[in-house]
Amino acid sequence: MTPVAVRSYRPSDHSAGRRLWAELTSEHNSMYGDLSDDGGAGFEEYLTRLDLGGLWVADHADDGVVGLVGLIIRGRAGEVEPVVVTMTHRHKGVGRKLLRHVAQEAKKRSMQSLTISPSSRNVEAIRSLHAAGYDVVSSVELTMHLDHQTHDWQQDGLELHALQFRS
């Protein structure tokens, strides 16, 4: 297996970061039937965040940048946003390596906790995050759709405190 090193983001990683951001948003949009595509433009706005505490990439010896993880500062806590691994390098430990690295960086900064907010439909990500130690439910975000469109809700949804939710 070709090695992957996690290192700090550099300006020369910009196009790879934008590509990964586009892949992430496209995947999230398709989960919810949204056909829009920003082509990674959201990455530009993300890079200007004043609360961005760090950005790291997974650099594959042959394929270049294949993953990205960021740390948002929330006082003594941190938020992992985003974490993305390109499709061809998933299930190879790259995401775990990125998550371990961001946790080490948060510990160096004496942070007390890290949170991450995966899409409720991204069961694969939720399982991976749980395996990586994200096993405390710290908040719940609920949505009420106000448009009159028909939504393709998943049948299995989520039960929380004996209440059934769609996802």
Side-chain angles (χ1 to χ4, degrees):
M1 184 164 131
T2 308
V4 172
V6 176
R7 61 167 175 78
S8 292
Y9 172 86
R10 300 179 215 158
S12 59
D13 299 324
H14 184 265
S15 62
R18 188 174 169 123
R19 175 184 44 79
L20 286 163
W21 189 276
E23 189 173 332
L24 177 68
T25 56
S26 175
E27 199 170 301
H28 281 199
N29 289 349
S30 69
M31 279 185 212
Y32 291 93
D34 182 352
L35 302 177
S36 65
D37 179 15
D38 77 346
F43 187 60
E44 308 304 329
E45 184 178 338
Y46 176 79
L47 290 174
T48 66
R49 291 184 68 139
L50 296 177
D51 57 356
L52 181 59
L55 187 59
W56 299 272
V57 297
D59 196 357
H60 186 274
D62 296 329
D63 299 333
V65 174
V66 297
L68 178 75
V69 66
L71 176 63
I72 306 298
I73 305 296
R74 301 264 186 255
R76 301 273 312 191
E79 179 183 349
V80 178
E81 174 66 26
V83 61
V84 58
V85 175
T86 192
M87 187 69 75
T88 57
H89 286 274
R90 291 183 188 164
H91 308 289
K92 297 179 181 179
V94 176
R96 275 190 306 276
K97 198 173 242 190
L98 287 166
L99 289 169
R100 268 195 310 270
H101 186 83
V102 75
Q104 289 168 350
E105 290 291 332
K107 286 177 187 176
K108 282 185 202 174
R109 298 164 194 217
S110 301
M111 291 183 165
Q112 295 175 338
S113 63
L114 278 178
T115 60
I116 190 165
S117 301
S119 169
S120 63
R121 286 190 180 181
N122 196 341
V123 177
E124 183 179 331
I126 293 168
R127 286 188 174 129
S128 295
L129 292 166
H130 187 271
Y134 292 84
D135 60 358
V136 176
V137 176
S138 57
S139 69
V140 177
E141 182 176 305
L142 302 175
T143 302
M144 174 192 290
H145 276 278
L146 301 175
D147 61 15
H148 298 290
Q149 291 180 280
T150 302
H151 294 277
D152 183 24
W153 302 111
Q154 290 186 339
Q155 295 299 315
D156 50 358
L158 173 72
E159 185 177 313
L160 184 64
H161 299 295
L163 300 170
Q164 190 64 38
F165 295 91
R166 300 173 290 173
S167 67

